[in-house]
Amino acid sequence: MATDFSDIEVEDLDEAQAQSELVRLQSLISQYDKLYYQSDDPSIDDAAYDALRRRNEAIEARFPEFILENSPSFKVGAAPVEGFAKAKHSVPMLSLGNAFERSDVDDFLARIRRFLSLSEDDALEIVAEPKIDGLSISLSYQNGELVRAATRGDGRVGENVTHNILTMDEIPQKLTGKNIPEQFDVRGEIYMSHEDFMALNKAQEKAGAKVFANPRNAAAGSLRQLDATITATRPLKFFAYSAGLAADMKVGTHFEILDLFKSWGFPTNPLTKICLSADELMAVYEKIETGRATLGYDIDGVVYKVNDLAMQERLGFVSRAPRWAIAHKFAAEKATTILEAIEIQVGRTGALTPVAKLVPVTVGGVVVSNASLHNEDEIERKDVRIGDTVIVQRAGDVIPQIVEVVLEKREKNAQPFRLPETCPECGSPAERAIDPATNRQDVVRRCTGGFICPAQARERLKHFVSRNAFDIEGLGEKQIALFYEEGWVKTPADIFTLEVRDSEGLTKLKNRDGFGDKSVAKLWRAINERRSIGLDRFIYALGIRHVGETTARDLARHYGTAESWLAAMQEGVDEASSAYEELQNIDGIGGVVARSLTHYFKEERNLTAVEELLKHVTPQPVVFEQIASKVSGQVVVFTGKLELMSRNEAKAQAERLGAKVAGSVSAKTNILVAGPGAGSKLKKAEELGVQVVSEEEWIELVK
Ligand code: IVH
């Protein structure tokens, strides 16, 4: 029986306690249910029984991601579910970086060797396997039994589609075989074969029902049916490709995991091969690509993965993708069409981006009517003119591109295209800045209107609510455009006062563009959920130039709280301050980012916008997976050549152990790890009396 936290109010439960309480309540309620139905012995009075159920529901409402598969709320009589329940992944479901050509594959291998400090002669096994074009799923097994199936969702939280998965023949519900761990996740791809896809569409057409654009959409549409009996009629297939939670799998390689999966009854892809060099990878890639048309299902590339699991662990992740894997995409599909117009979009940092408006054309199963033209140098280089016949391509999820112009078809009077020198949205001058460091002109032309430019304000808001930032459900680009247009939301803080203003009749959300009672209530709920958010997301959401997710994380990790970050940014506006020096010293930050941050905070209106926002939102210190160690809280600098680990690996390891890695030596430095060839940093450390250790001594220290 789970620990009893029954004396803690629902709103005071933390995540772990809530999970435990749900388990305890489930078990208790089901015992009472059994007694009630089977032995005709209530053994508890109605009021006390109802109180248990109400507590269970209240916890589920606060922590929907922890709703149990066998929750008492799902029992007969309970309200039908609206959509799918959320399902939190125990290990995030990540995406993959892309390789398009041989040199990208060489770079991938070189990066791994560098990171692991492997020489050219050290063996490095890489597994190559087809990249299935379907949708990913995470299947959780407990004691050999399928207990939950979840879609990828945003990688952290997906949808619980267990009922639908239970209808699939290819996914075993009860495992038999050897070495089945008590608890583990199987990750893989759900897909539909070409043959089944065509038959399904034929049947759909006959029935006057929806016809699917491609097998992937058909697979996704078939799986995400609220009525699982529909899923049961759809011919879905599955390939297992990795383990999520797999602590006690007792294997050393990825290939062994696949073999185990196979032995337990999961389909694994038969084209999977272990390779030892880029040449071998390319050979497998070419073979798979040649056979692509006759495979009978869609694949969009070949995935390469480091075979050794210990190496995978050491390599870890950058942002959302593992360092130990990459997707080598097949060459893009191309099509010919006509460029009708070039539209200028203004981004959140004022960048003017030319977008090609095309006569719609199908490329690789998708209708394309826009393509990116990047910047004016690119337009000039390709000499793209309005009215031209152009070749467009689409590679994977990438925005369609114009490859080249078919010059033979150019109209005689076609004129070269020039980007406007004023912003099309606010009329301010649009300029190409000169980089003082290189004296070169920036490739991007930017609107200098800043706060007066409505396009920049709108795009900043769109970024603010985007998926990796505040991610407010029901508040996407379309709604932001509407709210901005109406004058309801001008700054991020306005989002958090919308509900109050709406109740006072200042905005009239209801009955506007699809907003009904229910969706408005849902929107308020979604906004309120974000009044507490991780500091890293908070920083990223501000949309400061050069501050992407990784930098935002570095900043959140370094400063810990919103208060100390903001104080440092304000002080750092003075480039002679120690706060600026500290900022620039954070490993991974450097001059460009530091200047961009101080430039942002120099602008009074930016500071005010952030302060206003902080009245409504409480950023939470980011909890990084850290292991307490002798170096926790210490400021460490690496210098000279490291011989046992790469610089990146050393840094990642130090941070995992709770140390802060700085780029240069200062009075705050605690330890300098000096390899051969150390120069000025070593000298400075000695002057300042900083502890200096060799790489071996460092490894001993963190062992
Ligand atoms: S491995 C951390 N292997 O591709 C590594 N992914 O772009 C996770 N996919 O969301 C993925 N076939 O849905 C892996 N053999 C394969 C795959 C595969 C298809 C999909 C998967 C993932 C996406 C990443």
Side-chain angles (χ1 to χ4, degrees):
M1 162 84 49
T3 325
D4 186 341
F5 294 109
S6 57
D7 52 351
I8 302 180
E9 294 288 333
V10 172
E11 55 263 43
D12 296 330
L13 292 171
D14 65 25
E15 286 200 355
Q17 291 166 340
Q19 271 180 295
S20 166
E21 273 292 82
L22 287 175
V23 172
R24 185 184 68 86
L25 289 164
Q26 187 281 325
S27 146
L28 213 55
I29 293 170
S30 79
Q31 272 175 39
Y32 289 132
D33 281 346
K34 247 194 206 140
L35 288 171
Y36 183 81
Y37 291 113
Q38 294 171 3
S39 48
D40 209 14
D41 169 14
S43 82
I44 180 173
D45 69 55
D46 285 354
Y49 176 81
D50 285 345
L52 288 179
R53 273 193 169 263
R54 272 202 309 276
R55 180 172 171 83
N56 187 67
E57 276 162 27
I59 301 175
E60 288 183 343
R62 238 196 101 199
F63 299 95
E65 66 272 33
F66 297 140
I67 296 177
L68 294 170
E69 196 38 49
N70 52 0
S71 156
S73 320
F74 294 152
K75 294 276 164 66
V76 208
V81 276
E82 220 198 283
F84 294 96
K86 288 188 179 161
K88 193 170 178 172
H89 299 298
S90 48
V91 176
M93 291 183 82
L94 300 145
S95 53
L96 292 169
N98 290 329
F100 295 100
E101 33 191 284
R102 163 78 190 227
S103 63
D104 299 332
V105 179
D106 289 333
D107 289 349
F108 166 69
L109 296 179
R111 229 168 18 242
I112 292 172
R113 284 188 183 276
R114 237 186 353 261
F115 196 98
L116 298 174
S117 289
L118 295 180
S119 77
E120 274 307 312
D121 306 327
D122 293 322
L124 176 62
E125 286 188 353
I126 307 282
V127 176
E129 57 195 51
K131 183 169 188 303
I132 316 298
D133 196 8
L135 67 148
S136 45
I137 193 95
S138 182
L139 308 167
S140 307
Y141 286 82
Q142 259 170 30
N143 301 318
E145 226 169 287
L146 177 65
V147 291
R148 194 190 77 172
T151 61
R152 178 169 186 272
D154 65 1
R156 208 174 49 83
V157 180
E159 287 172 330
N160 187 325
V161 289
T162 315
H163 298 296
N164 310 63
I165 289 295
L166 289 174
T167 67
M168 282 180 57
D169 294 340
E170 290 213 337
I171 294 182
Q173 291 174 23
K174 191 142 183 52
L175 305 181
T176 47
K178 279 194 212 129
N179 300 331
I180 298 171
E182 209 174 289
Q183 201 173 12
F184 71 102
D185 292 348
V186 176
R187 302 243 161 118
E189 201 84 351
I190 308 263
Y191 68 98
M192 197 179 279
S193 75
H194 292 157
E195 199 183 337
D196 291 335
F197 164 69
M198 283 182 297
L200 172 64
N201 262 357
K202 221 182 224 165
Q204 293 282 103
E205 207 175 334
K206 213 166 153 192
K210 184 185 158 144
V211 170
F212 296 100
N214 52 45
R216 175 159 49 124
N217 288 1
S222 300
L223 182 68
R224 297 184 66 257
Q225 290 284 341
L226 283 177
D227 179 356
T229 59
I230 299 179
T231 310
T233 66
R234 303 281 172 84
L236 292 174
K237 291 199 152 81
F238 177 70
F239 278 125
Y241 59 60
S242 76
L245 179 71
D248 47 349
M249 294 266 282
K250 297 195 186 76
V251 286
T253 65
H254 171 64
F255 204 84
E256 285 169 320
I257 292 186
L258 296 180
D259 269 347
L260 265 183
F261 284 169
K262 199 155 100 188
S263 76
W264 299 334
F266 293 98
T268 54
N269 196 288
L271 303 175
T272 305
K273 291 267 176 322
I274 300 178
C275 300
L276 282 164
S277 64
D279 286 343
E280 284 182 33
L281 289 175
M282 291 306 293
V284 172
Y285 173 85
E286 274 152 29
K287 193 158 174 225
I288 293 179
E289 187 172 31
T290 314
R292 190 178 175 190
T294 55
L295 262 184
Y297 50 87
D298 276 353
I299 58 173
D300 56 348
V302 179
V303 184
Y304 304 146
K305 300 173 183 172
V306 169
N307 196 21
D308 186 298
L309 297 178
M311 284 185 184
Q312 285 190 4
E313 171 108 20
R314 280 170 66 194
L315 285 157
F317 301 86
V318 223
S319 283
R320 253 156 251 284
R323 279 199 194 83
W324 46 264
I326 202 162
H328 189 177
K329 295 292 192 72
F330 292 134
E333 300 194 51
K334 293 180 185 163
T336 305
T337 185
I338 291 169
L339 174 73
E340 283 192 310
I342 297 178
E343 210 177 83
I344 307 297
Q345 288 179 355
V346 183
R348 70 184 152 85
T349 60
L352 266 50
T353 308
V355 178
K357 296 285 162 187
L358 307 166
V359 171
V361 61
T362 308
V363 193
V366 171
V367 178
V368 168
S369 50
N370 293 323
S372 170
L373 284 168
H374 304 288
N375 54 56
E376 56 195 281
D377 287 356
E378 183 78 1
I379 295 182
E380 201 178 306
R381 195 173 62 75
K382 289 184 183 156
D383 188 19
V384 179
R385 303 182 185 189
I386 295 169
D388 275 350
T389 298
V390 292
I391 295 173
V392 288
Q393 74 172 24
R394 235 186 97 244
D397 302 329
V398 185
I399 308 161
Q401 319 251 336
I402 292 194
V403 191
E404 59 180 340
V405 174
V406 184
L407 283 175
E408 308 82 75
K409 294 203 176 166
R410 171 168 285 168
E411 300 279 340
K412 269 202 210 79
N413 54 357
Q415 295 297 314
F417 181 80
R418 297 257 168 273
L419 231 66
E421 289 179 6
T422 54
C423 171
E425 301 256 4
C426 73
S428 305
E431 294 169 355
R432 289 177 70 170
I434 310 268
D435 182 341
T438 58
N439 223 3
R440 279 229 294 273
Q441 213 180 21
D442 191 352
V443 289
V444 178
R445 188 175 287 280
R446 282 175 207 279
C447 158
T448 54
F451 269 87
I452 69 151
C453 180
Q456 288 190 42
R458 201 178 52 228
E459 294 308 309
R460 273 199 299 271
L461 287 165
K462 285 182 186 170
H463 172 80
F464 183 82
V465 299
S466 64
R467 203 176 221 202
N468 299 335
F470 266 66
D471 188 23
I472 298 175
E473 214 179 314
L475 193 55
E477 299 210 345
K478 203 176 116 207
Q479 291 79 15
I480 284 290
L482 168 74
F483 294 2
Y484 185 80
E485 182 115 327
E486 291 290 342
W488 297 340
V489 173
K490 295 260 179 223
T491 67
D494 294 343
I495 293 171
F496 295 92
T497 59
L498 250 183
E499 182 176 358
V500 171
R501 285 183 287 134
D502 197 62
S503 72
E504 289 167 353
L506 296 175
T507 69
K508 296 212 167 35
L509 221 60
K510 225 165 58 190
N511 305 330
R512 281 301 300 271
D513 289 85
F515 278 105
D517 270 335
K518 250 191 173 163
S519 51
V520 171
K522 234 174 147 176
L523 178 62
W524 301 152
R525 213 177 318 133
I527 291 174
N528 288 333
E529 268 174 22
R530 292 293 186 266
R531 287 183 191 270
S532 165
I533 193 162
L535 179 59
D536 52 344
R537 274 183 181 250
F538 181 90
I539 296 174
Y540 171 70
L542 299 177
I544 303 167
R545 209 173 145 201
H546 300 303
V547 180
E549 283 179 90
T550 306
T551 305
R553 275 178 80 84
D554 286 343
L555 291 166
R557 186 199 299 258
H558 185 86
Y559 291 103
T561 65
E563 292 70 31
S564 57
W565 175 63
L566 202 58
M569 293 304 105
Q570 281 169 270
E571 265 178 62
V573 166
D574 172 9
E575 289 196 7
S577 66
S578 60
Y580 184 80
E581 195 190 324
E582 179 179 338
L583 170 65
Q584 204 183 6
N585 251 342
I586 302 171
D587 205 46
I589 299 277
V592 175
V593 180
R595 234 166 287 127
S596 177
L597 279 158
T598 50
H599 183 260
Y600 179 88
F601 283 101
K602 234 179 240 161
E603 169 65 56
E604 202 57 41
R605 280 174 289 194
N606 283 332
L607 180 62
T608 312
V610 176
E611 284 172 342
E612 278 304 309
L613 181 60
L614 283 171
K615 290 184 184 157
H616 307 283
V617 173
T618 318
Q620 302 298 321
V622 181
V623 189
F624 291 99
E625 231 184 273
Q626 277 182 4
I627 308 159
S629 75
K630 282 189 200 146
V631 298
S632 297
Q634 306 267 322
V635 178
V636 181
V637 175
F638 292 95
T639 189
K641 186 170 165 19
L642 299 184
E643 290 170 320
L644 303 169
M645 287 189 276
S646 68
R647 184 68 68 89
N648 278 340
E649 184 178 11
K651 180 189 171 197
Q653 182 201 40
E655 285 176 344
R656 257 199 318 274
L657 295 171
K660 284 184 181 174
V661 180
S664 62
V665 176
S666 73
K668 292 204 178 125
T669 311
N670 298 106
I671 304 172
L672 178 79
V673 184
S680 62
K681 287 183 193 170
L682 177 58
K683 205 165 147 235
K684 184 151 184 208
E686 282 165 353
E687 276 165 23
L688 292 169
V690 170
Q691 183 189 0
V692 178
V693 298
S694 68
E695 190 183 2
E696 288 84 2
E697 286 166 334
W698 165 257
I699 288 174
E700 191 56 34
L701 196 65
V702 297
K703 203 159 71 183

